[in-house]
Amino acid sequence: MGTAISVLALLTLAACGTESGSGPGSGGGSDTARSDVPVTGVAWQVDSLTVGGKKTEAPEGSRLEIDPKGRATAYFGCNHIGAKAEVDGDRITLSEPSRTGMACGEDVDAFEKAAVAALDGALTAKLSGEKLTLTAGGGDTLALSEERPADLTGTRWAVNTLVDGETATSVPADLPKERVPHLTLGEDGTIQGNYGCNSYRGEATVKDATITFGPPAGTKKLCPDAEMETERAVLAALDGPATYTIKGSTLTITADDGRGITAKAVPEKTEGAPEQTGGAPEQG
């Protein structure tokens, strides 16, 4: 299957809040970061990086989050990055960085390395409305915008990570485009998408922070092992009751047994329900 990633980094991406989002962290016990500039508990979209006076636009989907307990996670288009974060007033200090070892494209890799280097150490945070600027001691800056939570219903969610208890695994990057697992929940209580091989549709009841998935109807194709393994993991997460959170454009669904998924909101090219691939559904 895909590259295993730190479950701590994954859980931090999903930490704090549901669709309505959660407010900034506040001071308190010794395990809680103090922030006079409200940057914690917010999903930040990374807009650009300026190093040595040269500004570079961030890869699509780049984001940064600092949770109220002092962990930072970042994504710059390839690897998942984690670090310890200390927040004191307008000063943020990041240390002990770690990241996954995925191979990246040349441009994304260059941006990621430059961003990690710029974020290592003490940073000054300046907040202006929904815009945040982090400035390193040498003058390099990272520009960010607060990422509003996507709507649960009507959004096409592309699954990018599979969770099984303490193990988190990236969805294989080489899956055929039409078999990348995805789901769309309708306001009428329906769900449809693809598990990784077979397309499906069914019912999903949303109440508070819980989604209850009904038995699906879907196609019955056989696919290569990697796609079937992904399908089984997604199917396990979307079976019966599960809790969900939305932070920015990231949806996390976790079943009662600890299996789950994270998914990224992607824009629809056409209005209405997503197309159903693979032929007419059969009763699952």
Side-chain angles (χ1 to χ4, degrees):
M1 219 137 120
T3 303
I5 67 174
S6 162
V7 72
L8 176 60
L10 171 67
L11 294 178
T12 306
L13 282 174
C16 308
T18 57
E19 184 174 351
S20 59
S22 57
S26 57
S30 59
D31 65 343
T32 301
R34 180 170 67 86
S35 177
D36 297 325
V37 176
V39 298
T40 61
V42 178
W44 295 103
Q45 172 184 300
V46 179
D47 299 324
S48 64
L49 173 68
T50 301
V51 175
K54 182 180 179 181
K55 179 179 178 180
T56 305
E57 298 298 319
E60 183 178 358
S62 295
R63 65 197 309 273
L64 171 72
E65 185 174 340
I66 302 173
D67 76 9
K69 291 189 176 182
R71 284 295 300 179
T73 55
Y75 175 78
F76 300 115
C78 184
N79 285 289
H80 294 270
I81 300 162
K84 179 180 178 181
E86 297 180 9
V87 183
D88 187 0
D90 65 348
R91 181 62 59 91
I92 300 173
T93 303
L94 302 180
S95 60
E96 302 176 16
S98 63
R99 62 176 172 173
T100 55
M102 297 178 65
C104 312
E106 184 176 349
D107 291 343
V108 172
D109 184 62
F111 185 94
E112 182 177 283
K113 289 179 178 178
V116 170
L119 291 173
D120 186 16
L123 307 164
T124 300
K126 182 179 179 181
L127 190 62
S128 178
E130 297 179 353
K131 299 289 186 179
L132 173 68
T133 302
L134 300 179
T135 304
D140 297 338
T141 61
L142 194 71
L144 309 99
S145 303
E146 183 175 351
E147 190 177 18
R148 294 297 185 181
D151 292 329
L152 175 65
T153 58
T155 299
R156 181 184 175 101
W157 298 100
V159 179
N160 52 26
T161 308
L162 310 172
V163 181
D164 187 356
E166 295 298 316
T167 303
T169 308
S170 298
V171 170
D174 57 353
L175 284 180
K177 184 177 180 180
E178 68 276 11
R179 290 176 183 162
V180 173
H182 62 85
L183 61 145
T184 301
L185 290 96
E187 294 183 359
D188 58 354
T190 60
I191 181 173
Q192 56 182 317
N194 191 288
Y195 290 124
C197 173
N198 286 286
S199 56
Y200 68 93
R201 65 179 68 204
E203 296 183 356
T205 302
V206 179
K207 183 178 181 180
D208 299 325
T210 300
I211 306 174
T212 301
F213 298 96
T219 57
K220 299 291 185 181
K221 297 182 297 182
L222 291 178
C223 298
D225 289 346
E227 294 161 36
M228 295 305 297
E229 188 175 359
T230 297
E231 173 159 308
R232 285 190 290 270
V234 175
L235 181 59
L238 307 183
D239 182 18
T243 58
Y244 81 93
T245 60
I246 297 176
K247 288 302 294 282
S249 58
T250 299
L251 167 68
T252 301
I253 296 175
T254 308
D256 290 344
D257 62 1
R259 288 183 286 187
I261 60 171
T262 64
K264 182 79 173 177
V266 293
E268 290 281 7
K269 293 183 178 180
T270 58
E271 296 182 355
E275 76 259 37
Q276 189 79 13
T277 59
E282 302 168 5
Q283 184 63 41

